[in-house]
């Protein structure tokens, strides 16, 4: 009942503020989403009152309410507590090496790992906007995203099912985005594919193979597997800033720790130009012709730099709510010192590093020189390659243009700007300054 009046007010708000042309998709989907997703993990329905109905209140989870709980207790330095479930979020940007960092958790036998579950929220709520720059739309997305993350950490998978299209029947679906990227979803008991002639146990290292051999995903079994693991990790490139996560971080029941992965924006750009050929068509044109197209859209790279910069400004102020909950990781450091950085990461999280994870790193980075033993993850090639290989992929003009747009961020993260083409191509001279970004507690 509460949901129905709320839904009407929400729609009015949405149509005013969002000016979203396809409002009809909202009107058919929102009531369902808001009323089913907004159940607290404890099972009690959420009580929303009219005053909560700011746009932020579109959460329906009424996250505002949680900020009334006393702010997080002071944290001592992380110590390992075998009984305490830790929830990990890898907060990243597209093409910043997040698949690689995700593997550092995916390979751990005690971690339940999910790859980009927020893809489904985005494709239902904002199908045509990959990275919306409209504030109101971003808020709607973030409210739904937070609710879904909270449910997933508590292994409530019905919220996720609500976003999967077509809707799973009998809790079974073959439409979970990149299911094969999650080991837990490709191994027993979730997947009981028959063993091949040479196999002693089911080891699926290839995403496609998982999807092919495991059949549709039994979501109930996935939820069981989630509950059976000690910890859960989720990777996302769909949360713009750390402040978007504040209510989750402050939620004492969640024990959430965030690893923000950053990368030199010039490296992000070079990698995106290779990967998203349509979206970055004009950049490729620039590279090919040597002339900057007059209608080049700087928006994408500006957004990347702005978002990371805002997050950094937030964390540099060391707010109480981030104490012991936040770690900044430069992709370049991970690429150069994978084992050392992984140990630091696990120590921050208070988790015991597993031998399997170390083996995976050795197999998949320069630490392991046997190239033929590499797995077929698309991500692996990137990490093994020089993290600075953008320097041979971008033209000098493109680099100057980008570093001008992102100057404050480059300084803050310790990436050197260049002034001459000779500096750009001289790879024996690194553009990554040595910096320590220590978690604070
Ligand atoms: C919201 O806050 C009020 C007052 O602090 C509390 O009584 C109520 O239980 C809270 N509701 C939820 C769903 O947390
Ligand atoms: C769902 O389960 C019911 C009962 O077990 C069965 O009758 C029905 O055929 C199933 N539907 C599909 C699409 O598998
Ligand atoms: C999913 O697994 C559960 C638990 O083993 C089982 O009861 C259910 O029938 C399975 N669902 C499908 C669609 O196979
Ligand atoms: C590492 O490579 C070896 C040899 O190819 C393989 O047997 C082992 O399973 C790999 N380990 C991991 C964690 O990938
Ligand atoms: C490349 O950089 C190194 C270290 O800064 C320098 O010693 C060397 O002279 C440079 N090479 C060229 C060709 O500029």
């Amino acid at each position: 009942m509460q949901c129905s009046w709320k839904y009407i007010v929400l729609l009015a708000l949405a149509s005013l503020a969002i000016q979203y042309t396809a409002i009809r998709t909202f009107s058919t989907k929102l009531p369902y989403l808001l009323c089913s997703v907004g159940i607290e993990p404890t099972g009690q329905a959420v009580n929303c009152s009219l005053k909560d109905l700011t746009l932020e209140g579109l959460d329906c989870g009424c996250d505002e309410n949680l900020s009334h709980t006393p702010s997080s207790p002071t944290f001592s330095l992380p110590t390992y507590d075998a009984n305490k479930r830790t929830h990990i979020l890898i907060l990243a940007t597209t093409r910043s090496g997040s698949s690689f960092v995700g593997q550092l958790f995916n390979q751990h036998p005690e971690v339940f790992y999910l790859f980009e579950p927020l893809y489904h929220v985005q494709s239902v709520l904002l199908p045509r906007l990959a990275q919306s720059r409209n504030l109101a739309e971003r808020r709607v997305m973030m409210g739904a995203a937070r609710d879904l993350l909270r449910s997933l950490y508590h292994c409530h998978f019905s919220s996720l099912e609500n976003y999967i299209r077509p809707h799973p029947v009998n809790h079974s679906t073959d439409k979970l985005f990149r299911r094969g990227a999650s080991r837990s979803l490709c191994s027993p008991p979730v997947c009981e594919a028959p063993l091949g002639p040479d196999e002693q146990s089911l080891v699926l290292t290839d995403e496609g193979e998982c999807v092919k051999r495991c059949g549709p995903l039994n979501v109930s079994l996935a939820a069981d597997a989630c509950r059976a693991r000690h910890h859960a990790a989720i990777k996302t490139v769909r949360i713009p800033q750390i402040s978007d996560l504040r209510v989750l971080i402050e939620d004492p029941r969640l024990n959430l720790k965030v690893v923000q992965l950053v990368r030199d924006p010039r490296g992000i750009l070079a990698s995106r130009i290779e990967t998203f050929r349509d979206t970055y068509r004009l950049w490729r044109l620039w590279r090919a012709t040597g002339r900057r197209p007059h209608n080049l859209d700087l928006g994408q790279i500006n957004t990347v730099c702005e978002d990371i910069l805002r997050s950094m400004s937030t964390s540099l102020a060391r707010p109480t709510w981030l104490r012991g909950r936040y770690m900044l990781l430069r992709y370049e450091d991970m690429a150069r010192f994978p084992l050392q950085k992984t140990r630091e990461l696990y120590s921050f999280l208070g988790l015991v590093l597993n031998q399997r994870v170390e083996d995976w790193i050795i197999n998949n980075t320069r630490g392991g020189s046997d190239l033929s033993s590499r797995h077929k993850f698309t991500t692996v090639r990137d990490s093994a390659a020089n993290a600075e290989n953008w320097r041979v992929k971008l033209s000098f003009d493109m680099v100057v243009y980008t570093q001008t747009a992102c100057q404050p961020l480059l300084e803050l993260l310790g990436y050197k700007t260049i002034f001459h083409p000779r500096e750009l191509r001289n790879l024996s001279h690194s553009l990554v300054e040595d910096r320590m970004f220590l978690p604070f507690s």
Side-chain angles (χ1 to χ4, degrees), residues 87-274:
H87 296 125
I88 304 154
L89 188 79
I90 304 163
L91 178 66
T93 309
T94 320
R95 309 310 296 174
S96 61
S98 61
S99 301
F100 179 80
V101 173
Q103 287 296 341
L104 304 177
F105 301 107
N106 194 29
Q107 297 298 327
H108 196 297
E110 273 308 324
V111 177
F112 182 82
Y113 174 72
L114 284 177
F115 182 101
E116 295 295 337
L118 298 183
Y119 164 87
H120 293 287
V121 176
Q122 194 174 55
S123 58
V124 167
L125 292 185
L126 302 174
R128 289 181 295 139
L129 297 156
Q131 286 257 296
S132 177
R133 270 172 264 148
N134 174 313
L135 194 60
E137 284 168 347
R138 245 160 108 141
R139 282 191 179 159
V140 174
M141 249 294 286
M142 284 313 106
R146 278 192 293 266
D147 277 344
L148 181 59
L149 286 175
R150 184 183 273 122
S151 305
L152 288 175
Y153 283 126
H154 287 111
C155 304
H156 292 224
F157 278 52
S158 55
S159 312
L160 180 59
E161 286 183 88
N162 290 338
Y163 287 104
I164 297 178
R165 298 287 177 277
H167 194 274
V169 177
N170 289 350
H171 302 291
S172 169
T173 182
D174 58 0
K175 290 285 183 282
L176 180 69
F177 181 63
R178 300 284 300 269
R179 176 249 181 117
S182 178
R183 263 175 61 83
S184 320
L185 302 183
C186 297
S187 44
V190 181
C191 170
E192 301 277 13
L195 299 181
D198 307 325
E199 290 172 315
Q200 264 137 38
S201 65
L202 187 67
V203 184
L204 300 174
T205 49
D206 183 74
E207 281 193 33
E209 198 190 350
C210 168
V211 173
K212 220 165 41 206
R213 289 184 52 186
C214 296
L217 175 70
N218 183 330
V219 182
S220 318
L221 286 177
D224 291 346
C226 171
R227 277 185 284 270
R229 304 290 167 106
H230 255 107
H231 312 288
I234 295 178
K235 158 189 125 64
T236 184
V237 294
R238 290 174 166 81
I239 302 274
Q241 295 169 18
I242 186 71
S243 53
D244 293 316
L245 293 167
R246 178 167 177 172
V247 281
L248 293 184
I249 294 172
E250 284 181 328
D251 184 345
R253 290 166 303 179
L254 209 50
N255 190 28
L256 181 67
K257 296 199 174 187
V258 179
V259 177
Q260 179 160 28
L261 180 68
V262 296
R263 182 181 184 182
D264 189 323
R266 296 165 294 188
I268 293 176
L269 178 67
S271 179
R272 287 186 178 184
I273 291 173
E274 301 287 313

Side-chain angles (χ1 to χ4, degrees), residues 213-338:
R213 289 184 52 186
C214 296
L217 175 70
N218 183 330
V219 182
S220 318
L221 286 177
D224 291 346
C226 171
R227 277 185 284 270
R229 304 290 167 106
H230 255 107
H231 312 288
I234 295 178
K235 158 189 125 64
T236 184
V237 294
R238 290 174 166 81
I239 302 274
Q241 295 169 18
I242 186 71
S243 53
D244 293 316
L245 293 167
R246 178 167 177 172
V247 281
L248 293 184
I249 294 172
E250 284 181 328
D251 184 345
R253 290 166 303 179
L254 209 50
N255 190 28
L256 181 67
K257 296 199 174 187
V258 179
V259 177
Q260 179 160 28
L261 180 68
V262 296
R263 182 181 184 182
D264 189 323
R266 296 165 294 188
I268 293 176
L269 178 67
S271 179
R272 287 186 178 184
I273 291 173
E274 301 287 313
T275 314
F276 309 115
R277 302 182 67 81
D278 277 353
T279 319
Y280 287 80
R281 192 177 52 85
L282 291 175
W283 289 87
R284 279 190 296 128
L285 192 66
W286 184 358
R287 192 173 54 187
T289 62
R291 274 200 310 275
R292 174 160 58 93
H294 62 92
N295 52 344
L296 183 82
D297 180 15
L298 252 193
Q300 292 141 328
I301 201 70
N302 270 338
T303 306
V304 168
C305 292
E306 250 169 55
D307 283 340
I308 302 178
L309 192 60
R310 291 234 173 97
S311 293
M312 289 214 52
S313 314
T314 304
S315 67
L316 283 173
R318 305 187 161 218
T320 321
W321 58 275
L322 273 185
R323 276 195 202 157
R325 305 257 153 215
Y326 177 82
M327 177 172 169
L328 185 91
L329 181 63
R330 290 190 306 185
Y331 172 63
E332 292 81 1
D333 292 330
M334 185 51 92
R336 288 187 297 178
F337 317 109

Side-chain angles (χ1 to χ4, degrees), residues 422 426-429:
R422 209 172 45 228
N426 184 354
L427 295 184
S428 62
H429 158 75

Side-chain angles (χ1 to χ4, degrees), residues 107 183 203 205 355-364 370 372-375 377:
Q107 297 298 327
R183 263 175 61 83
V203 184
T205 49
Q355 186 60 44
R356 217 200 119 76
V357 177
E358 297 201 15
D359 288 348
W360 187 88
I361 293 170
I362 292 163
N363 280 4
N364 292 283
D370 179 9
S372 62
S373 73
R374 273 196 208 158
H375 294 163
F377 293 109

Side-chain angles (χ1 to χ4, degrees), residues 20 27 66 97 102 110 144-145 164 204 237 240 310 344 352 407:
Y20 187 56
S27 59
L66 290 171
E110 273 308 324
I164 297 178
L204 300 174
V237 294
R310 291 234 173 97
E344 285 173 24
V352 172
Q407 190 60 50

Side-chain angles (χ1 to χ4, degrees), residues 40 44-47 65-66 68:
E40 287 291 271
Q44 95 231 32
V46 171
N47 61 346
N65 211 31
L66 290 171
H68 300 317

